[in-house]
Amino acid sequence: MRAPVLTFTDHGIYCPAGDFFVDPWRPVERALITHGHADHARSGMGSYLSTDAAAPVLRHRLGEITLDTVAFGETRRIGGASVSFHPAGHVPGSAQIRVEVDGEVWVVSGDYKTVPDGLSEPFEPVRCHAFISECTFGLPVFRWRPQAELATEIAAWWRDSVAAGRTPILGAYSLGKAQRLLSLLDPAQGPILTHGAVENTTQVLRDQGYGLPETVPVTPETKAKDHPGALVLCPPSAIGSAWSRRFGTLSTGFASGWMQLRGVRRRRAADRGFVISDHADWDGLNSAIAETGAERLFVTHGYTEIFSRWLQDRGLDAQIVPTEFEGETLEAEAS
Amino acid sequence: MKRFARLFTRIDQTTKTNVKVAALAEYLAEAPEDDRLWTVALFSGRRPKRAVTTTRLREWAAERAGLPLWLFEEAYPIVGDLAETIALILPPPSGTSDLSLTHWIHALTELSQQPEEARKAAVLAAWDQLDTTERFLFNKLLTGGFRIGISQKLMTRALAQATGRDEAELAHRLMGDWTPATTSWEALITSDDPVARDSRPYPFYLAYALEDRPDSLGPPSDWHAEWKWDGIRGQLILRGGQHFTWSRGEELMTDRFPELARALDFLPDGVVLDGEILAWAGGQPLPFNALQKRIGRKSVPKALLTEAPVILYAYDLLEQDAEDLRALPFADRRARLEALVSDLPADAPIRLSPTIAFDDWETLATLRTNARDHQSEGLMLKRLDSPYLAGRKKGDWWKWKLDPLTIDAVMIYAQSGHGRRANLFTDFTFAVWKGNDLVPFTKAYSGLTDAEFRQITAWVRKNTQQRFGPVRQVTPEHVFEIAFEGIQASPRHKSGVALRFPRMARWRKDKPVQEANTFEDLQAMLELYG
């Protein structure tokens, strides 16, 4: 029996034939990075390889790094392995990584969603023998509604809040979710004020050519009354902080897949929870797995025990990948 | 259902009370009369009879979704609510329905008469024409427990806004033993119906707990003190030659306590007494568990009537000569009460809860320490010039309870909570040492801060030894001080004891697990206080 294409180590996913790691969580010599979120792209690696599209955000977040890039679909030979990056549809620039050794193909999904969001390069299924899939929302209670419905809902909330004399303030991750929301908002409805963390990443992506509406960065001098009818976009942690008090009476909203659960919404004590996620929902995970045609499955990040048992029930060879980083779990949401 | 679902969505989409109340008031002004009536019923804790067991609902939902039952059961504790889990897990509906809330409730009521196959077909058909929110509400109606962010008090306020009627009057009207099947909007809210009026209790006035000593309450001469009794708070109504007994939970308990019927022989008509229903023997109250045997029963066998006869220990007079006395100062009401009941013969089922005389707070504090000798759980303080208000209001009535009993126990099992507390471990089982074994003796769910619950949750995840469904056995490592109000022998519990109101008073991070209390300590407490 030949050696596996990828193995699971205490530093992360490792390819012996190419002597590299994928999204490692401890410093290693050579790291292939799926996308710029902090639990996938960490500092301290000897060298980095990512897509051209992911590179500006990586440089922005990690500073001076040795970074090599490839185009989506371009094959690169590393030692005994051939690697290529394929769109994951998670955030702008995000990729799945395909690794082929002696004709055997493994794919690391990174984070992904199967439905196009109009901004990220749309998910492409990649045929493979083994698929390492995230399953953040690997429960059948998670099913996302069409994005257009969410856009209508958010627009109505913006309008109603302003009419009621409140400032709508929307909490979302600075990379990916915030820009997706921006692309769903209609700037004709009013000014869009952004928190520094959101604005910085937005500017990086704007410079790359992603189509994003005009925003007004919030500075210490910003006053709510100078921007009547505005909506504020910020990281979730900024809501309720001293920073958010300058906007007067607020109507608070959070945009996250976890908002599907009423208990989480209530715990957040937000006025509104918008169910919008950059991860695949239950149907998305199942269809993506089916389309890879993979004989072996490894699940990571999320409800791994339940999801692997579900796959095993359906006659698939599924195992759990041990990981130190649980990403966007409900526990992280709760804490 | 669509209108009701819109109402729910508006209530659920805000954290602001006045917005919730305004949404409900608008609904109560506009919705069809039968839907309005049912909405008032639901938000005052009345609900249709359960037509389907939750076991069947889970099976049908999993089957309809094409998922194995185990997967449904795994998802349920993560969602934290059964009605919601079902609503989310089902495939999208194939149609829509414009049928009203009342229609669906009637359909459910009729279901309970049908064979199981018909019930299943009806539930599946309903699911297939309701959207996610409507399904959630339909499932809530099916499973009971209709708590969705509007208290009875807020509902009454909304009803007052919608009808232009006085809130206190409406609170009074909503008391009692009605359902939408036995009344109408007109009879309940707007008309003057003498029969309904006769049986109607007054909203109970509830005391706040006094956390510190009463010195801050002002001069002792402004206050009346009496023992706080551990029974069932009740109102005894004598009107139109009939009697009605109500519990604080607005349950009509007339038939459970037939002894109180004899009050009609001793007291005039047009009287309402507020007091404590207590099991009574040999001139003093019996412990609460004697009364407990009477609570679960709709009718009472003879033996129990002799073993644990009840009386009303009266402490307030709310109505006399058919006149509402609630606006009078407490001192006046008390004087009238004493004149009315203090000279009753020994076989009358009414006694006067005695006044405790005191000149200064120090004396009272000393007396309080003897409360257990009087079968009491502390003191009540009532301002002499206070009217009888409705609900829990701060200022005029205080309960100054004894410090609870406590025992240091080891956490051995943990289970996650529901709703807002799903995904946090909040339900724990505690044990004491018996030799080298840990004997479980109580569960507790409350008393920790949110931060502490998060901390213990993280710890439980890392220290799970074994899982039994949703229950996790954890490493016996953490000691908690369990506070409780009473202890009784109980053959139904493995430990042989049952605690009253157990909760976590403190997380004893300072205490090693070996130093938790023992089974012998528990037995000693049972001897002393049981």
Side-chain angles (χ1 to χ4, degrees):
Chain A
M1 191 175 151
R2 57 188 184 178
V5 172
L6 297 173
T7 61
F8 305 103
T9 75
D10 60 358
H11 284 61
I13 299 172
Y14 177 64
C15 175
D19 189 23
F20 61 81
F21 287 82
V22 177
D23 292 353
W25 50 75
R26 293 207 180 97
V28 299
E29 199 45 48
R30 188 198 280 266
L32 275 57
I33 303 296
T34 58
H35 66 289
H37 278 147
D39 54 338
H40 293 262
R42 306 185 67 78
S43 58
M45 310 300 160
S47 71
Y48 293 80
L49 179 66
S50 76
T51 62
D52 303 328
V57 165
L58 284 180
R59 287 210 172 87
H60 171 69
R61 296 197 149 194
L62 299 176
E64 284 295 310
I65 52 172
T66 308
L67 175 62
D68 193 4
T69 64
V70 289
F72 280 115
E74 177 189 336
T75 303
R76 176 73 62 96
R77 187 84 190 168
I78 305 175
S82 298
V83 302
S84 53
F85 290 62
H86 304 267
H90 174 58
V91 298
S94 71
Q96 311 171 70
I97 296 179
R98 179 185 187 276
V99 183
E100 181 174 345
V101 177
D102 297 336
E104 183 169 346
V105 178
W106 288 41
V107 170
V108 182
S109 77
D111 292 338
Y112 67 98
K113 70 172 175 290
T114 51
V115 182
D117 63 14
L119 195 62
S120 312
E121 300 76 7
F123 177 84
E124 278 177 17
V126 181
R127 301 285 297 181
C128 56
H129 299 102
F131 186 48
I132 301 168
S133 176
E134 64 128 329
C135 60
T136 308
F137 290 101
L139 280 184
V141 294
F142 296 110
R143 286 204 180 84
W144 313 143
R145 288 192 292 136
Q147 173 165 292
E149 287 181 22
L150 267 301
T152 310
E153 219 174 80
I154 295 171
W157 168 66
W158 184 355
R159 193 180 55 238
D160 295 348
S161 302
V162 170
R166 299 179 200 281
T167 306
I169 183 165
L170 187 53
Y173 292 116
S174 306
L175 166 57
K177 185 70 64 63
Q179 290 76 33
R180 181 178 177 190
L181 291 168
L182 275 177
S183 74
L184 296 180
L185 295 171
D186 178 3
Q189 213 180 328
I192 303 167
L193 305 187
T194 48
H195 184 277
V198 168
E199 183 59 26
N200 290 343
T201 311
T202 302
Q203 193 54 47
V204 171
L205 292 172
R206 228 183 238 135
D207 291 346
Q208 270 180 266
Y210 289 102
L212 292 165
E214 195 182 320
T215 51
V216 183
V218 175
T219 66
E221 287 73 42
T222 304
K223 292 195 175 60
K225 64 174 165 41
D226 297 336
H227 306 281
L231 175 143
V232 183
L233 192 58
C234 63
S237 58
I239 295 183
S241 71
W243 181 86
S244 69
R245 271 177 226 131
R246 72 186 76 200
F247 304 111
T249 315
L250 303 174
S251 178
T252 55
F254 289 98
S256 154
W258 298 113
M259 293 297 138
Q260 176 91 324
L261 303 182
R262 192 166 167 259
V264 180
R265 288 203 300 276
R266 284 159 71 210
R267 203 156 52 216
R268 271 283 190 189
D271 289 314
R272 294 297 297 274
F274 298 102
V275 186
I276 185 160
S277 175
D278 289 322
H279 294 273
D281 66 2
W282 174 256
D283 294 332
L285 289 170
N286 281 291
S287 69
I289 284 169
E291 283 185 76
T292 62
E295 299 146 14
R296 295 178 70 189
L297 296 157
F298 299 89
V299 298
T300 177
H301 287 90
Y303 296 103
T304 50
E305 279 178 43
I306 298 170
F307 195 61
S308 59
R309 182 173 164 199
W310 158 253
L311 295 174
Q312 287 158 9
D313 256 23
R314 292 155 58 87
L316 295 164
D317 175 5
Q319 294 172 48
I320 298 170
V321 179
T323 171
E324 283 189 16
F325 290 94
E326 275 297 307
E328 301 163 51
T329 60
L330 187 49
E331 285 76 43
E333 179 67 35
S335 59
Chain B
M1 195 70 120
K2 292 214 181 303
R3 188 196 290 263
F4 189 65
R6 274 200 303 277
L7 167 67
F8 165 75
T9 303
R10 286 181 67 186
I11 290 171
D12 201 46
Q13 279 183 350
T14 181
T15 53
K16 293 166 186 80
T17 304
N18 53 357
V19 177
K20 293 183 189 196
V21 170
L24 182 55
E26 198 178 297
Y27 176 92
L28 291 173
E30 290 172 358
E33 193 171 298
D34 50 0
D35 282 5
R36 265 186 267 160
L37 185 59
W38 261 112
T39 302
V40 169
L42 291 170
F43 288 126
S44 59
R46 294 163 174 85
R47 49 177 181 257
K49 200 172 153 223
R50 184 176 284 200
V52 183
T53 64
T54 57
T55 311
R56 288 287 169 277
L57 286 178
R58 295 164 197 226
E59 289 167 4
W60 300 345
E63 185 188 314
R64 182 70 188 80
L67 297 171
L69 188 59
W70 71 260
L71 184 55
F72 182 93
E73 298 295 351
E74 290 283 356
Y76 170 30
I78 293 165
V79 175
D81 182 283
L82 183 65
E84 187 183 348
T85 310
I86 294 173
L88 292 176
I89 216 160
L90 291 168
S94 66
T96 62
S97 159
D98 288 322
L99 296 169
S100 70
L101 170 68
T102 305
H103 167 90
W104 285 110
I105 291 172
H106 286 167
L108 288 184
T109 313
E110 281 161 28
L111 275 190
S112 53
Q113 323 291 333
Q114 314 248 337
E116 184 167 309
E117 275 312 300
R119 274 183 276 167
K120 180 177 176 181
V123 169
L124 291 180
W127 282 340
D128 199 38
Q129 48 190 305
L130 298 172
D131 72 20
T132 309
T133 305
E134 294 166 351
R135 270 178 190 165
F136 170 70
L137 295 167
F138 175 78
N139 294 340
K140 280 280 176 202
L141 294 171
L142 268 174
T143 55
F146 210 89
R147 278 189 307 230
I148 54 172
I150 286 272
S151 64
Q152 177 159 355
K153 194 172 158 179
L154 289 185
M155 181 272 288
T156 312
R157 191 183 301 167
L159 188 59
Q161 284 179 14
T163 59
R165 285 175 174 271
D166 179 58
E167 193 177 327
E169 183 221 324
L170 285 171
H172 192 189
R173 281 176 171 271
L174 296 181
M175 301 283 288
D177 192 22
W178 61 273
T179 72
T182 62
T183 189
S184 65
W185 182 263
E186 199 209 342
L188 185 72
I189 308 292
T190 56
S191 79
D192 193 46
D193 172 2
V195 181
R197 207 181 48 209
D198 272 356
S199 73
R200 203 175 278 153
Y202 293 102
F204 284 81
Y205 183 18
L206 308 174
Y208 254 89
L210 189 64
E211 304 293 348
D212 300 316
R213 287 171 49 96
D215 306 63
S216 61
L217 298 181
S221 56
D222 288 354
W223 293 86
H224 162 91
E226 61 194 270
W227 298 113
K228 182 182 186 316
W229 305 107
D230 186 16
I232 296 170
R233 177 84 181 272
Q235 262 179 57
L236 179 62
I237 294 170
L238 308 174
R239 288 184 192 133
Q242 284 185 286
H243 85 289
F244 307 91
T245 309
W246 291 95
S247 75
R248 202 191 93 183
E250 281 184 51
E251 198 180 352
L252 186 60
M253 306 198 299
T254 312
D255 296 337
R256 277 182 217 189
F257 302 115
E259 300 97 319
L260 300 182
R262 287 209 66 207
L264 290 165
D265 301 342
F266 299 96
L267 293 173
D269 207 58
V271 159
V272 177
L273 296 168
D274 183 13
E276 200 87 359
I277 297 166
L278 293 166
W280 186 271
Q284 62 166 347
L286 294 169
F288 186 79
N289 73 328
L291 191 61
Q292 201 144 33
K293 293 179 191 157
R294 301 279 304 264
I295 295 176
R297 296 172 175 274
K298 291 259 176 201
S299 65
V300 196
K302 266 220 169 81
L304 212 49
L305 278 175
T306 17
E307 194 186 309
V310 303
I311 58 126
L312 181 79
Y313 227 12
Y315 39 66
D316 214 326
L317 182 63
L318 309 186
E319 183 176 310
Q320 191 175 28
D321 302 328
E323 191 199 339
D324 181 351
L325 305 184
R326 291 177 299 162
L328 292 183
F330 175 77
D332 292 8
R333 299 198 309 271
R334 175 82 195 182
R336 288 180 183 228
L337 175 70
E338 287 177 10
L340 192 66
V341 305
S342 52
D343 291 330
L344 293 180
D347 56 340
I350 313 287
R351 300 267 187 299
L352 179 68
S353 174
T355 299
I356 300 174
F358 70 105
D359 293 324
D360 52 67
W361 296 125
E362 196 51 48
T363 314
L364 197 62
T366 313
L367 284 167
R368 168 173 168 268
T369 58
N370 302 325
R372 283 205 176 87
D373 301 340
H374 295 265
Q375 301 291 338
S376 145
E377 50 180 24
L379 295 172
M380 290 296 305
L381 295 172
K382 297 175 182 175
R383 196 187 288 276
L384 287 163
D385 64 2
S386 61
Y388 190 93
L389 302 173
R392 204 179 293 282
K393 302 260 163 51
K394 231 170 200 162
D396 292 337
W397 280 29
W398 296 97
K399 48 185 179 188
W400 191 20
K401 291 172 75 164
L402 278 180
D403 294 332
L405 302 168
T406 63
I407 191 158
D408 289 334
V410 183
M411 179 197 289
I412 56 169
Y413 299 113
Q415 192 173 352
S416 54
H418 282 86
R420 201 177 69 89
R421 308 210 301 179
N423 314 111
L424 283 179
F425 286 95
T426 59
D427 302 4
F428 305 112
T429 302
F430 294 94
V432 284
W433 291 108
K434 190 175 189 180
N436 290 326
D437 296 330
L438 282 165
V439 183
F441 69 102
T442 191
K443 287 186 168 201
Y445 318 94
S446 62
L448 299 187
T449 63
D450 284 355
E452 283 173 321
F453 274 127
R454 282 199 293 272
Q455 201 183 346
I456 197 73
T457 294
W459 180 87
V460 168
R461 287 209 180 92
K462 290 199 203 89
N463 292 276
T464 299
Q465 293 186 332
Q466 228 183 324
R467 293 176 191 223
F468 309 95
V471 178
R472 294 179 181 218
Q473 184 181 2
V474 298
T475 318
E477 188 178 311
H478 286 292
V479 177
F480 288 79
E481 181 180 306
I482 305 298
F484 51 100
E485 299 303 320
I487 180 167
Q488 292 294 331
S490 166
R492 287 190 300 131
H493 292 82
K494 194 173 163 189
S495 61
V497 300
L499 305 187
R500 193 151 154 74
F501 297 138
R503 68 267 181 189
M504 292 166 274
R506 266 195 302 164
W507 185 351
R508 295 294 307 262
K509 290 177 180 168
D510 56 316
K511 205 155 208 189
V513 70
Q514 299 77 11
E515 288 175 25
N517 281 103
T518 64
F519 188 68
E520 290 71 33
D521 298 334
L522 202 58
Q523 291 297 314
M525 289 180 114
L526 182 60
E527 288 280 305
L528 202 56
Y529 304 112

